[in-house]
């Protein structure tokens, strides 16, 4: 077990280093001068351009710029947002809780309803419930989130004003964005869980337990779901990153505060420091969630750590 954890720890450290390098190079390899883009109308002042370039360390060799930047990041300093006139750290700190709330709500909806649809479809395989459930899952996977968000706004803000839709930060304002973000992954979860449960139901030990008269509820909970849970855990780690990236569209459609909407605003304003920090942050969360999943694998199946 210790060797397994050590291997995963070395892998996540190497991946983290790669993520920081890519996030650092993205800004410096794009066409144009980031300093001129930041200054906007003030870009005609050569002295100001020179002073800002010196302040940002852009006159140093590339490797020195990286080490200076990563040292600042390790201290929690992601730079200064000239577009918002405040530090990038404070921008992220004020925006991240709303995105975390949205992501957690969407993941909960996706897992609960996706699991329910997938389990029912697997138990009622090749019957009407299976066909209806998989058809609904396919529809959920096919609908673009931006179109679904606009449709829900039309229905629940114009036709039936039930929820606080645009810019809402309370529970009523969370429902529609969370549903919009969750539907795509919910459809995938339903199909994936159906496949996992069908595979688990076909195992020899399940047939043996049923022949011994083990009650169906206990059989399903202990023998089927325990074996079907491992692949489900895999997609949870992947979907956290997917939902975080999907929040960029959903938060923009619903005018909801969060790092997704902040990223769009930073790109439009050419706020490179904020873009760089947010790209790195989303990638690191994605990597960390999968690292946690890898560590949980041996808990469910000790054979993996051998």
């Amino acid at each position: 077990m210790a060797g397994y954890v050590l291997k995963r720890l070395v892998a996540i450290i190497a991946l983290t280093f790669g993520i920081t390098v890519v996030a650092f190079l993205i800004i410096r390899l794009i066409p144009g001068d980031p300093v001129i883009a930041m200054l906007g109308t003030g870009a005609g002042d050569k002295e100001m351009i020179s002073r800002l370039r010196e302040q940002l360390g852009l006159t140093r060799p590339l490797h020195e710029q990286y080490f200076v930047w990563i040292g600042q990041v390790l201290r929690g300093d992601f730079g200064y947002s000239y577009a918002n006139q405040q530090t990038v750290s404070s921008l992220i700190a004020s925006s991240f809780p709303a995105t975390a709330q949205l992501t957690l709500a969407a993941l909960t909806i996706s897992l609960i309803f996706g699991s329910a649809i997938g389990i029912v479809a697997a138990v009622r395989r090749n019957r009407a419930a299976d066909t209806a459930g998989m058809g609904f899952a396919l529809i959920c996977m096919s609908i673009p989130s931006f179109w679904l968000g606009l449709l829900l706004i039309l229905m629940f803000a114009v036709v039936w004003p039930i929820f606080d839709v645009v810019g809402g930060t309370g529970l009523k304002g969370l429902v529609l964005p969370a549903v919009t973000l969750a539907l795509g992954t919910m459809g995938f979860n339903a199909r994936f869980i159906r496949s996992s449960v069908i595979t688990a139901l076909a195992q020899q030990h399940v047939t043996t337990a049923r022949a011994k008269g083990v009650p169906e509820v206990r059989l399903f909970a202990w023998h089927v779901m325990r074996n079907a849970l491992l692949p489900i855990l895999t997609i949870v780690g992947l979907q956290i990153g997917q939902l975080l990236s999907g929040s960029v569209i959903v938060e923009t459609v619903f005018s909801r505060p969060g790092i997704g909407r902040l990223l769009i605003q930073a790109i439009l304003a050419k706020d490179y420091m904020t873009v760089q920090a947010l790209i790195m942050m989303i990638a690191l969360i994605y990597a960390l969630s999968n690292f946690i999943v890898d560590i949980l694998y041996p808990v469910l199946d000790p054979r993996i750590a051998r």
Side-chain angles (χ1 to χ4, degrees):
M1 179 67 178
Y4 175 84
V5 173
L6 183 61
K7 288 179 182 178
R8 292 299 179 271
L9 190 59
V10 171
I12 192 65
I13 291 174
L15 181 59
T16 300
F17 171 73
I19 289 171
T20 59
V21 170
V22 171
F24 172 79
L25 291 177
I26 281 175
I27 302 303
R28 284 154 181 82
L29 296 180
I30 58 176
D33 190 335
V35 172
I36 294 177
M38 287 179 192
L39 290 175
T41 56
D45 190 335
K46 293 184 178 180
E47 183 179 347
M48 185 179 294
I49 293 174
S50 177
R51 188 165 60 248
L52 182 56
R53 188 174 281 117
E54 181 72 30
Q55 182 180 340
L56 295 175
L58 297 178
T59 56
R60 302 178 182 180
L62 200 61
H63 66 280
E64 288 187 17
Q65 293 182 39
Y66 172 77
F67 287 117
V68 171
W69 174 74
I70 200 64
Q72 294 172 339
V73 168
L74 292 175
R75 295 193 300 270
D77 180 10
F78 295 98
Y80 188 80
S81 170
Y82 290 91
N84 294 280
Q85 295 297 306
Q86 63 183 106
T87 62
V88 176
S89 302
S90 62
L91 278 173
I92 294 176
S94 62
S95 301
F96 183 74
T99 299
Q101 181 192 45
L102 176 61
T103 302
L104 182 60
L107 184 63
T108 302
I109 293 171
S110 175
L111 287 176
I112 291 176
F113 290 97
S115 298
I117 294 171
I119 291 171
V120 171
V123 173
R124 310 291 294 178
R125 185 183 181 186
N126 297 328
R127 300 181 185 180
D130 183 17
T131 304
M134 291 302 96
F136 177 71
L138 183 60
I139 292 172
C140 290
M141 294 171 63
S142 304
I143 300 176
S145 58
F146 69 89
W147 183 82
L148 177 61
L150 294 174
L151 185 63
L152 291 178
I153 291 174
L154 176 64
M155 292 176 61
F156 296 100
V158 179
V159 181
W160 301 302
I162 299 174
F163 295 103
D164 297 332
V165 180
V166 178
T169 56
L171 182 60
K172 290 180 68 177
L174 177 65
V175 174
L176 295 185
V179 170
T180 302
L181 186 60
L183 273 188
T185 55
M186 186 178 74
F188 178 81
N189 286 346
R191 297 178 67 87
F192 191 87
I193 290 169
R194 175 186 180 273
S195 177
S196 298
V197 172
I198 288 174
T199 301
L201 283 169
Q203 296 295 316
Q204 187 64 44
H205 69 276
V206 175
T207 305
T208 303
R210 183 176 282 119
K212 289 181 177 180
V214 176
E216 284 295 323
V217 174
R218 184 184 175 193
L219 174 75
F220 198 84
W222 184 252
H223 295 282
V224 176
M225 288 308 298
R226 186 180 182 186
N227 288 279
L229 186 60
L230 193 60
I232 294 171
L233 184 63
T234 305
I235 63 173
V236 170
L238 295 173
Q239 285 180 358
I240 290 176
Q242 183 180 349
L243 292 171
L244 274 174
S245 58
S247 67
V248 173
I249 296 175
V250 173
E251 288 177 351
T252 302
V253 170
F254 286 91
S255 297
R256 180 181 171 85
I259 61 173
R261 188 182 178 199
L262 177 62
L263 179 59
I264 294 295
Q265 292 174 340
I267 292 172
L268 295 176
K270 296 182 175 60
D271 187 357
Y272 293 112
M273 296 294 102
T274 304
V275 173
Q276 179 177 253
L278 289 175
I279 289 174
M280 183 184 68
M281 180 181 176
I282 291 173
L284 286 176
I285 292 174
Y286 188 93
L288 182 60
S289 62
N290 282 277
F291 171 71
I292 294 172
V293 168
D294 285 342
I295 298 301
L296 290 176
Y297 273 174
V299 177
L300 297 173
D301 190 352
R303 294 173 297 177
I304 294 178
R306 293 174 186 172

PDB file of all heavy atoms in Angstrom, residues 73-86:
ATOM      1  N   VAL A  73       3.928  32.058  -6.688  1.00  0.00           N
ATOM      2  CA  VAL A  73       2.737  31.202  -6.602  1.00  0.00           C
ATOM      3  C   VAL A  73       2.742  30.390  -5.308  1.00  0.00           C
ATOM      4  O   VAL A  73       1.713  30.250  -4.640  1.00  0.00           O
ATOM      5  CB  VAL A  73       2.656  30.272  -7.831  1.00  0.00           C
ATOM      6  CG1 VAL A  73       1.598  29.185  -7.621  1.00  0.00           C
ATOM      7  CG2 VAL A  73       2.343  31.075  -9.085  1.00  0.00           C
ATOM      8  N   LEU A  74       3.899  29.857  -4.938  1.00  0.00           N
ATOM      9  CA  LEU A  74       3.997  29.062  -3.713  1.00  0.00           C
ATOM     10  C   LEU A  74       3.711  29.901  -2.470  1.00  0.00           C
ATOM     11  O   LEU A  74       3.325  29.359  -1.431  1.00  0.00           O
ATOM     12  CB  LEU A  74       5.387  28.426  -3.607  1.00  0.00           C
ATOM     13  CG  LEU A  74       5.686  27.330  -4.652  1.00  0.00           C
ATOM     14  CD1 LEU A  74       7.133  26.865  -4.533  1.00  0.00           C
ATOM     15  CD2 LEU A  74       4.731  26.147  -4.467  1.00  0.00           C
ATOM     16  N   ARG A  75       3.877  31.214  -2.592  1.00  0.00           N
ATOM     17  CA  ARG A  75       3.540  32.119  -1.480  1.00  0.00           C
ATOM     18  C   ARG A  75       2.106  32.634  -1.579  1.00  0.00           C
ATOM     19  O   ARG A  75       1.682  33.447  -0.772  1.00  0.00           O
ATOM     20  CB  ARG A  75       4.507  33.310  -1.459  1.00  0.00           C
ATOM     21  CG  ARG A  75       5.952  32.939  -1.170  1.00  0.00           C
ATOM     22  CD  ARG A  75       6.778  34.168  -0.839  1.00  0.00           C
ATOM     23  NE  ARG A  75       6.783  35.137  -1.938  1.00  0.00           N
ATOM     24  CZ  ARG A  75       7.665  35.152  -2.921  1.00  0.00           C
ATOM     25  NH1 ARG A  75       8.618  34.224  -2.968  1.00  0.00           N
ATOM     26  NH2 ARG A  75       7.610  36.071  -3.871  1.00  0.00           N
ATOM     27  N   GLY A  76       1.380  32.168  -2.592  1.00  0.00           N
ATOM     28  CA  GLY A  76      -0.010  32.594  -2.767  1.00  0.00           C
ATOM     29  C   GLY A  76      -0.161  33.885  -3.538  1.00  0.00           C
ATOM     30  O   GLY A  76      -1.238  34.484  -3.548  1.00  0.00           O
ATOM     31  N   ASP A  77       0.894  34.303  -4.219  1.00  0.00           N
ATOM     32  CA  ASP A  77       0.869  35.543  -4.994  1.00  0.00           C
ATOM     33  C   ASP A  77       0.772  35.193  -6.474  1.00  0.00           C
ATOM     34  O   ASP A  77       1.743  34.728  -7.081  1.00  0.00           O
ATOM     35  CB  ASP A  77       2.135  36.362  -4.709  1.00  0.00           C
ATOM     36  CG  ASP A  77       2.170  37.676  -5.490  1.00  0.00           C
ATOM     37  OD1 ASP A  77       1.138  38.032  -6.102  1.00  0.00           O
ATOM     38  OD2 ASP A  77       3.233  38.334  -5.480  1.00  0.00           O
ATOM     39  N   PHE A  78      -0.388  35.427  -7.090  1.00  0.00           N
ATOM     40  CA  PHE A  78      -0.593  35.105  -8.504  1.00  0.00           C
ATOM     41  C   PHE A  78      -0.457  36.343  -9.403  1.00  0.00           C
ATOM     42  O   PHE A  78      -0.772  36.271 -10.580  1.00  0.00           O
ATOM     43  CB  PHE A  78      -1.975  34.487  -8.705  1.00  0.00           C
ATOM     44  CG  PHE A  78      -2.140  33.153  -8.033  1.00  0.00           C
ATOM     45  CD1 PHE A  78      -2.753  33.057  -6.794  1.00  0.00           C
ATOM     46  CD2 PHE A  78      -1.672  31.997  -8.639  1.00  0.00           C
ATOM     47  CE1 PHE A  78      -2.909  31.833  -6.170  1.00  0.00           C
ATOM     48  CE2 PHE A  78      -1.822  30.756  -8.025  1.00  0.00           C
ATOM     49  CZ  PHE A  78      -2.436  30.674  -6.785  1.00  0.00           C
ATOM     50  N   GLY A  79      -0.023  37.431  -8.834  1.00  0.00           N
ATOM     51  CA  GLY A  79       0.141  38.636  -9.629  1.00  0.00           C
ATOM     52  C   GLY A  79      -0.983  39.636  -9.386  1.00  0.00           C
ATOM     53  O   GLY A  79      -1.809  39.479  -8.485  1.00  0.00           O
ATOM     54  N   TYR A  80      -0.983  40.670 -10.223  1.00  0.00           N
ATOM     55  CA  TYR A  80      -1.948  41.766 -10.063  1.00  0.00           C
ATOM     56  C   TYR A  80      -2.807  41.879 -11.313  1.00  0.00           C
ATOM     57  O   TYR A  80      -2.310  41.827 -12.441  1.00  0.00           O
ATOM     58  CB  TYR A  80      -1.201  43.085  -9.820  1.00  0.00           C
ATOM     59  CG  TYR A  80      -2.099  44.239  -9.452  1.00  0.00           C
ATOM     60  CD1 TYR A  80      -2.577  44.391  -8.154  1.00  0.00           C
ATOM     61  CD2 TYR A  80      -2.461  45.186 -10.413  1.00  0.00           C
ATOM     62  CE1 TYR A  80      -3.395  45.454  -7.818  1.00  0.00           C
ATOM     63  CE2 TYR A  80      -3.287  46.243 -10.080  1.00  0.00           C
ATOM     64  CZ  TYR A  80      -3.754  46.373  -8.779  1.00  0.00           C
ATOM     65  OH  TYR A  80      -4.573  47.420  -8.446  1.00  0.00           O
ATOM     66  N   SER A  81      -4.107  42.016 -11.118  1.00  0.00           N
ATOM     67  CA  SER A  81      -5.043  42.186 -12.226  1.00  0.00           C
ATOM     68  C   SER A  81      -5.223  43.676 -12.491  1.00  0.00           C
ATOM     69  O   SER A  81      -5.887  44.377 -11.715  1.00  0.00           O
ATOM     70  CB  SER A  81      -6.389  41.537 -11.891  1.00  0.00           C
ATOM     71  OG  SER A  81      -7.363  41.881 -12.854  1.00  0.00           O
ATOM     72  N   TYR A  82      -4.650  44.152 -13.597  1.00  0.00           N
ATOM     73  CA  TYR A  82      -4.778  45.565 -13.935  1.00  0.00           C
ATOM     74  C   TYR A  82      -6.187  45.883 -14.432  1.00  0.00           C
ATOM     75  O   TYR A  82      -6.644  47.022 -14.321  1.00  0.00           O
ATOM     76  CB  TYR A  82      -3.737  45.938 -14.990  1.00  0.00           C
ATOM     77  CG  TYR A  82      -2.324  45.943 -14.446  1.00  0.00           C
ATOM     78  CD1 TYR A  82      -1.539  44.794 -14.497  1.00  0.00           C
ATOM     79  CD2 TYR A  82      -1.794  47.082 -13.861  1.00  0.00           C
ATOM     80  CE1 TYR A  82      -0.246  44.779 -13.988  1.00  0.00           C
ATOM     81  CE2 TYR A  82      -0.509  47.088 -13.346  1.00  0.00           C
ATOM     82  CZ  TYR A  82       0.257  45.937 -13.412  1.00  0.00           C
ATOM     83  OH  TYR A  82       1.520  45.933 -12.891  1.00  0.00           O
ATOM     84  N   ALA A  83      -6.865  44.891 -14.961  1.00  0.00           N
ATOM     85  CA  ALA A  83      -8.230  45.116 -15.441  1.00  0.00           C
ATOM     86  C   ALA A  83      -9.199  45.332 -14.288  1.00  0.00           C
ATOM     87  O   ALA A  83     -10.151  46.109 -14.391  1.00  0.00           O
ATOM     88  CB  ALA A  83      -8.691  43.923 -16.296  1.00  0.00           C
ATOM     89  N   ASN A  84      -8.974  44.633 -13.157  1.00  0.00           N
ATOM     90  CA  ASN A  84      -9.868  44.736 -12.001  1.00  0.00           C
ATOM     91  C   ASN A  84      -9.291  45.567 -10.862  1.00  0.00           C
ATOM     92  O   ASN A  84      -9.954  45.757  -9.837  1.00  0.00           O
ATOM     93  CB  ASN A  84     -10.191  43.331 -11.474  1.00  0.00           C
ATOM     94  CG  ASN A  84     -11.007  42.514 -12.449  1.00  0.00           C
ATOM     95  OD1 ASN A  84     -12.218  42.664 -12.552  1.00  0.00           O
ATOM     96  ND2 ASN A  84     -10.338  41.629 -13.192  1.00  0.00           N
ATOM     97  N   GLN A  85      -8.051  46.004 -11.034  1.00  0.00           N
ATOM     98  CA  GLN A  85      -7.392  46.851 -10.036  1.00  0.00           C
ATOM     99  C   GLN A  85      -7.343  46.191  -8.650  1.00  0.00           C
ATOM    100  O   GLN A  85      -7.615  46.822  -7.630  1.00  0.00           O
ATOM    101  CB  GLN A  85      -8.087  48.215  -9.945  1.00  0.00           C
ATOM    102  CG  GLN A  85      -7.992  49.048 -11.210  1.00  0.00           C
ATOM    103  CD  GLN A  85      -6.563  49.409 -11.571  1.00  0.00           C
ATOM    104  OE1 GLN A  85      -5.841  49.972 -10.746  1.00  0.00           O
ATOM    105  NE2 GLN A  85      -6.141  49.072 -12.784  1.00  0.00           N
ATOM    106  N   GLN A  86      -7.027  44.896  -8.636  1.00  0.00           N
ATOM    107  CA  GLN A  86      -6.822  44.176  -7.377  1.00  0.00           C
ATOM    108  C   GLN A  86      -5.996  42.927  -7.660  1.00  0.00           C
ATOM    109  O   GLN A  86      -5.780  42.557  -8.808  1.00  0.00           O
ATOM    110  CB  GLN A  86      -8.155  43.813  -6.713  1.00  0.00           C
ATOM    111  CG  GLN A  86      -9.031  42.855  -7.530  1.00  0.00           C
ATOM    112  CD  GLN A  86     -10.353  42.590  -6.846  1.00  0.00           C
ATOM    113  OE1 GLN A  86     -11.386  43.101  -7.263  1.00  0.00           O
ATOM    114  NE2 GLN A  86     -10.331  41.797  -5.793  1.00  0.00           N
TER     115      GLN A  86
END
